Amino acid sequence: MTHLEVKHVYKSFEDKPVIQDLSFSLQKGEFVSILGPSGSGKSTLFHLIGGIIVPDSGEIVLDGKNITGQKGHVSFMPQHPSLLPWRNLLDNVLLGQELTGKREVEKARSMLAAAGLEGHEKSYPHQLSGGMQQRASFLRALISPQSLMCLDEPFSALDEFMRLEMQKWLMSIWEQYRRTVLFITHNIEEALFLSDRILIFSERPARMLADISVPFSRPRQPSLFLESEFFDWKRNIYEILRGEKTTGF
C-alpha cells in the first residue's frame, strides 16, 4: 500500500518558486532519503508534508487521505534535538504521546533502555551528551503515534565518529520497528548507508532529478563504506547532483 503521495506540489514565496511540480511516493515501511543542494527546498517540503505551510498547488496524501495543510499527521525530528530543558528525559520522550492524550510510560522506559539510556530517565537535557540527546529526540519521534517520520538532517552537527555510531544505532532501531521514514541529508554516504531509495533534488526550485533504489542488502555494516560498488554509487550520485549525468545506473 502506498503510504505517502506527494502530487504535483508547487510552492513559491514572494512569487519566487521554491518547489516546482514535485511528485513522488513512499511505500509503508520504506526508508527514503532526500539529497539536494543547500536551499533547494527540502525543509520546505517537510513543512508542506507536516501541514505547517500550504502548497500553492498540488496535494499531500497519506494512507489515501488528503492531508494538505493539516497538522498532526507526521512525527518530526529536526537538525537539533529540541528537547524541552524543563522536562526530564522520560517526559521529553513522551511529549508526542501527551499531545494526543496517551502516555505509554513502560514502553518509553523499555525503548530508553534499548537505546542505552537506562538510568537517565530523570536527567535533564543539559546533563546529557549530544549523542544521548539525539537518541532521545529520535525516540520521541518513534514513540509518537504518527506512522510517518520526517527526519531533517538529524546527525549534521555530530562529528564523524559519533555520526557513524548514530547511523548504526538508527538502523538497528528502524529495522526493529520499520516505521516509514523520510530523511533529509547532504551526505551521499549517509544516504546510501541508510536508505532503501534516494530522491535527488535539483537546485531551487526543487524538482526531481532521480529516484534511485539502493541495491545493498540489509542489515548493513560499516565495512560497506569501503566496497568498490559503494564508491561507484557515490560517484554516480555526485555526478547527478553536479548535473553531469542523468541516472546511468
Side-chain angles (χ1 to χ4, degrees):
M1 177 181 179
T2 300
H3 190 39
L4 174 73
E5 295 176 275
V6 174
K7 298 182 175 182
H8 302 290
V9 165
Y10 175 86
K11 181 63 182 177
S12 64
F13 294 106
E14 299 180 348
D15 295 325
K16 295 180 180 179
V18 177
I19 294 176
Q20 182 80 48
D21 192 29
L22 188 64
S23 296
F24 64 89
S25 64
L26 274 64
Q27 303 301 311
K28 197 170 187 66
E30 270 194 307
F31 194 119
V32 177
S33 287
I34 299 174
L35 275 173
S38 296
S40 63
K42 300 184 296 298
S43 294
T44 298
L45 174 64
F46 271 17
H47 294 159
L48 290 165
I49 294 172
I52 298 171
I53 57 177
V54 180
D56 299 328
S57 60
E59 60 184 23
I60 314 292
V61 177
L62 185 67
D63 289 333
K65 178 184 178 182
N66 189 334
I67 63 165
T68 309
Q70 297 180 19
K71 301 181 180 70
H73 291 279
V74 304
S75 59
F76 180 71
M77 180 178 175
Q79 295 182 23
H80 302 287
S82 300
L83 301 178
L84 300 179
W86 60 88
R87 294 176 69 105
N88 63 39
L89 182 60
L90 178 62
D91 287 341
N92 263 294
V93 168
L94 287 166
L95 179 61
Q97 288 193 341
E98 281 184 27
L99 296 176
T100 60
K102 181 180 181 181
R103 276 173 60 98
E104 295 179 289
V105 176
E106 290 310 311
K107 181 179 179 180
R109 288 183 180 276
S110 175
M111 293 173 73
L112 285 169
L117 295 171
E118 188 174 17
H120 295 280
E121 294 87 351
K122 298 300 182 183
S123 298
Y124 289 87
H126 73 275
Q127 299 173 309
L128 305 172
S129 69
M132 294 167 75
Q133 290 184 42
Q134 287 295 87
R135 278 180 274 167
S137 182
F138 178 77
L139 291 180
R140 179 177 59 191
L142 184 63
I143 202 171
S144 296
Q146 298 86 355
S147 59
L148 174 65
M149 299 176 64
C150 292
L151 311 184
D152 190 355
E153 295 191 83
F155 307 144
S156 60
L158 303 178
D159 63 57
E160 195 69 23
F161 294 105
M162 178 59 71
R163 185 174 189 142
L164 178 58
E165 289 303 309
M166 287 300 299
Q167 290 167 355
K168 289 160 55 181
W169 177 80
L170 172 58
M171 278 294 90
S172 67
I173 297 294
W174 175 79
E175 286 171 0
Q176 181 178 351
Y177 290 94
R178 288 284 174 166
R179 294 279 292 280
T180 309
V181 172
L182 192 58
F183 185 96
I184 290 176
T185 179
H186 285 97
N187 189 300
I188 298 174
E189 289 188 347
E190 182 170 72
L192 282 170
F193 184 63
L194 296 176
S195 310
D196 296 312
R197 288 164 51 218
I198 300 173
L199 310 179
I200 302 180
F201 285 9
S202 68
E203 293 184 352
R204 181 180 295 196
R207 57 185 177 83
M208 189 74 68
L209 293 179
D211 181 343
I212 296 168
S213 295
V214 178
F216 308 117
S217 61
R218 298 187 185 274
R220 296 173 187 163
Q221 303 299 325
S223 57
L224 177 64
F225 289 111
L226 303 177
E227 295 182 10
S228 59
E229 185 181 4
F230 188 89
F231 281 107
D232 290 341
W233 278 81
K234 180 180 176 181
R235 182 179 63 253
N236 282 329
I237 291 173
Y238 175 76
E239 290 173 353
I240 292 172
L241 285 165
R242 288 286 301 271
E244 297 171 4
K245 66 188 303 182
T246 52
T247 56
F249 293 96

